[in-house]
Amino acid sequence: MAKKNQSLGEFIIENQNEFKYSSGELSRLINSIRLAAKVVNHEVNKAGLVDILGAAGDLNIQGEDQQKLDVYANEVFIKTLTNREIVCGIASEEEDDYITIKGRNEKNDNKYVVLIDPLDGSSNIDVNVSVGTIFSVYRRVTPSGTPVTMDDFLQPGINQVAAGYIVYGTSTMIVYTTGHGVNGFTLNPAIGTYYLSHPLMKFPETGTIYSVNEGNYIHFPQGVKDYIKYCQKEEEDRPYTSRYIGSLVSDFHRNMIKGGIYIYPNTSKNPDGKLRLLYECNPMAMIAEQAGGLASNGFKRILEIQPISLHQRVPFFCGSKKMVEKAEEFMANAK
Ligand code: AHG
Ligand code: MN
Ligand code: MN
């Protein structure tokens, strides 16, 4: 039972027996993520103070500028999970290939793989706007005792055993689910402890916020254009409010609390959309569904898509149930 003000450490221990194969491995994994998040949080918070801003000069596999904090966050999460030998593999938005971890005594017998977007919304770093981290956890499908293979990472989102995000905002929060609802914990930076501040988070069934990069309007599919016009129409509770931070974690977090829809559709520039199925859409989709919301590619449920590559992109419609259903209706009816 979630108790408000309980610390994340206490919560993890108390809820451990909710997991089907409770060996404590998943609890230790979440513990490592919470620790890495504190380290990254510390660095994000002083980003304006020290000279760590600006591009590192590398391009990541998607051909985007990599900021220094991306590199830093990537290293911290990978090192924390690797050193503690509690996962058998990691895939990161910032790495071309997945990483194999042999684990204790080089036995390859750990159960879980982690997929991570170490720093989401990185274009917001140098303007002091919220960024985040997104993570997703699967049980491996290949036999224990052997090194992981691509099959362990290319699982449909429905197989996730846990998913979550950290938002480095006005407060730092970790929000996650292990399939038993969504709980949000706020970091008290003075003592370095996260407390349960948002037990059993729920998307309002409908809302009045739509979040989309409208600058790309001309390149949107007709269904999205029609839905945006619907959002802007003077009728019932509309026009809706437009809010777009440009950091999926922050846009999603606000919409889950206030009620809203986030859309990153396919465009003529990005025919598969921009967001990554494995590091961004699947974990957010699991959280959304666990919170009573929906996540779709405009036509079908995100969690049921069979991935074909690590860095695959997908159009993303996510948020309050009724709003996503309405957007899907416009997609289906578009000429
Ligand atoms: P990342 O920083 O991990 O590359 O992700 C950025 C993503 C997402 O967080 C955000 O919602 C979206 O890109 C914004 O894209 P546009 O600037 O094209 O609107
Ligand atoms: Mn991202
Ligand atoms: Mn990123």
Side-chain angles (χ1 to χ4, degrees):
M1 208 16 228
K3 292 184 210 104
K4 211 163 176 181
N5 299 327
Q6 194 174 32
S7 78
L8 176 54
E10 291 165 335
F11 179 89
I12 291 173
I13 293 166
E14 259 187 42
N15 292 278
Q16 191 180 307
N17 53 9
E18 275 183 352
F19 309 135
K20 251 192 268 169
Y21 309 90
S22 175
S23 64
E25 219 169 303
L26 185 57
S27 300
R28 282 191 288 128
L29 202 168
I30 304 281
N31 253 322
S32 302
I33 289 176
R34 124 183 117 142
L35 173 66
K38 271 188 225 175
V39 177
V40 172
N41 176 62
H42 182 69
E43 207 62 23
V44 166
N45 276 191
K46 56 181 197 187
L49 291 173
V50 283
D51 184 30
I52 54 168
L53 301 182
D58 296 332
L59 291 182
N60 68 12
I61 192 169
Q62 281 90 18
E64 296 153 346
D65 266 350
Q66 226 178 18
Q67 306 271 311
K68 278 183 185 169
L69 263 177
D70 290 39
V71 181
Y72 179 82
N74 189 41
E75 274 172 15
V76 170
F77 279 100
I78 290 176
K79 272 191 194 148
T80 310
L81 292 167
T82 309
N83 292 346
R84 299 174 152 239
E85 304 185 317
I86 45 171
V87 291
C88 51
I90 303 172
S92 162
E93 186 207 298
E94 302 295 342
E95 302 282 334
D96 297 359
D97 290 317
Y98 63 81
I99 298 166
T100 306
I101 299 165
K102 289 182 179 162
R104 265 164 237 205
N105 307 319
E106 312 227 322
K107 274 185 170 159
N108 288 298
D109 60 355
N110 287 328
K111 284 204 279 283
Y112 298 105
V113 294
V114 169
L115 294 96
I116 193 156
D117 177 356
L119 209 77
D120 173 66
S122 38
S123 65
N124 284 328
I125 296 165
D126 45 6
V127 289
N128 205 356
V129 173
S130 298
V131 291
T133 295
I134 309 173
F135 65 92
S136 166
V137 182
Y138 293 83
R139 192 168 291 115
R140 66 181 301 177
V141 289
T142 52
S144 178
T146 60
V148 283
T149 73
M150 192 61 103
D151 289 346
D152 295 310
F153 297 95
L154 299 185
Q155 299 190 52
I158 192 96
N159 290 0
Q160 286 171 108
V161 293
Y165 61 80
I166 296 113
V167 54
Y168 311 98
T170 42
S171 301
T172 291
M173 280 189 74
I174 180 162
V175 174
Y176 80 100
T177 179
T178 53
H180 303 273
V182 179
N183 290 290
F185 300 81
T186 303
L187 178 67
N188 178 342
I191 52 173
T193 303
Y194 299 90
Y195 290 98
L196 181 59
S197 50
H198 295 65
L200 291 175
M201 297 178 83
K202 288 282 170 214
F203 263 98
E205 204 181 10
T206 191
T208 55
I209 296 174
Y210 73 104
S211 312
V212 61
N213 186 343
E214 250 172 290
N216 296 327
Y217 184 88
I218 191 86
H219 302 296
F220 285 164
Q222 193 55 44
V224 174
K225 288 182 176 167
D226 294 344
Y227 179 68
I228 290 174
K229 286 296 152 219
Y230 165 88
C231 293
Q232 296 172 341
K233 201 165 174 196
E234 183 86 56
E235 213 169 86
E236 297 162 356
D237 57 348
R238 287 168 284 135
Y240 293 157
T241 296
S242 164
R243 290 280 183 274
Y244 190 74
I245 296 169
S247 154
L248 171 64
V249 168
S250 316
D251 281 308
F252 178 99
H253 186 72
R254 181 206 50 242
N255 289 354
M256 179 157 67
I257 290 172
K258 293 194 166 178
I261 183 169
Y262 176 94
I263 304 178
Y264 208 109
N266 49 310
T267 62
S268 25
K269 210 168 90 192
N270 293 315
D272 299 318
K274 179 185 183 195
L275 302 181
R276 292 80 166 173
L277 175 59
L278 296 182
Y279 313 111
E280 296 176 313
C281 302
N282 272 336
M284 289 320 222
M286 181 182 184
I287 299 165
E289 289 197 7
Q290 283 290 320
L294 287 179
S296 155
N297 68 357
F299 300 97
K300 68 178 274 193
R301 192 179 172 204
I302 289 288
L303 294 179
E304 287 175 10
I305 297 173
Q306 173 60 53
I308 48 172
S309 68
L310 272 185
H311 297 285
Q312 181 175 346
R313 298 170 192 268
V314 72
F316 196 49
F317 297 65
C318 181
S320 291
K321 184 169 179 284
K322 290 212 160 132
M323 299 178 88
V324 176
E325 281 168 354
K326 185 52 103 181
E328 281 184 320
E329 201 179 300
F330 277 98
M331 289 302 284
N333 295 334
K335 308 232 166 34

